[in-house]
Amino acid sequence: MSEEKLEKILKRVFETHLNSDDSYCFSYNKRQYNIPLNQIRFFQSDKRIVQINAVQLDMPELEYLFYGKLEEVERNLRKANVKFLRIRKSLLVNTRFIKEYSADRVVLDNGREVEISKNYRDHVRQHYISMLKGRRWE
């Protein structure tokens, strides 16, 4: 590996680390929440209710709910330094928590297997190829 390539990789890691304080803000039951994106495993929707599955150091899983649309969440996340991948119509997954990729499913860090719907398989495959080539994925 060349010094130039190593320098680019280290710079990207350093930038990601510095910007890892991005958060997702929402309100539910008259309470305001501010969850760091690097702690959010996934967003899942059921009609107008969005569930956030998150992790913290001393707790295995946390769940939050709010009223909204997953399309709005996805649009807001495009500007973030933490990347989320649409796996299904109702599921956005933080790529940091994906441990295995295959043609039709991903496995998350907690062992949960999620089938990739046919509509999103090409998109997920493009992300995976881009990741293998070491490019930053948009």
Side-chain angles (χ1 to χ4, degrees):
M1 178 181 296
S2 72
E3 274 188 19
E4 185 177 299
K5 190 171 184 177
L6 180 61
E7 185 177 314
K8 284 181 182 178
I9 291 170
L10 290 174
K11 184 177 180 184
R12 190 172 9 163
V13 168
F14 186 64
E15 286 172 357
T16 302
H17 178 72
L18 284 179
N19 294 320
S20 64
D21 60 348
D22 286 344
S23 298
Y24 193 80
C25 304
F26 63 96
S27 61
Y28 186 72
N29 285 340
K30 300 179 183 179
R31 295 183 73 186
Q32 291 290 110
Y33 296 90
N34 190 16
I35 312 298
L37 291 178
N38 63 2
Q39 293 179 2
I40 297 175
R41 184 179 280 129
F42 60 80
F43 292 88
Q44 186 169 12
S45 69
D46 183 15
K47 298 175 184 143
R48 297 269 308 155
I49 296 178
V50 178
Q51 171 195 0
I52 296 176
N53 179 282
V55 295
Q56 285 185 341
L57 294 177
D58 52 348
M59 303 178 104
E61 284 191 6
L62 297 169
E63 290 189 0
Y64 302 93
L65 299 173
F66 67 95
Y67 292 104
K69 289 187 173 185
L70 203 57
E71 290 78 20
E72 291 173 16
V73 173
E74 185 175 30
R75 197 172 27 254
N76 291 334
L77 293 173
R78 286 191 184 127
K79 302 170 201 151
N81 290 311
V82 178
K83 295 301 175 195
F84 286 78
L85 187 59
R86 191 75 171 251
I87 302 291
R88 311 185 61 71
K89 183 178 179 181
S90 62
L91 189 65
L92 271 171
V93 177
N94 185 335
T95 58
R96 177 176 168 239
F97 292 98
I98 298 175
K99 297 302 174 197
E100 293 178 30
Y101 289 86
S102 70
D104 62 348
R105 68 186 62 243
V106 295
V107 178
L108 303 181
D109 67 317
N110 62 357
R112 178 177 174 180
E113 288 189 30
V114 181
E115 184 178 345
I116 304 167
S117 71
K118 290 179 183 178
N119 293 340
Y120 295 100
R121 287 183 185 166
D122 284 341
H123 185 66
V124 173
R125 184 173 35 253
Q126 287 172 3
H127 163 72
Y128 182 66
I129 290 169
S130 191
M131 186 183 72
L132 287 176
K133 291 181 178 179
R135 285 186 261 158
R136 184 174 174 139
W137 179 70
E138 300 284 333

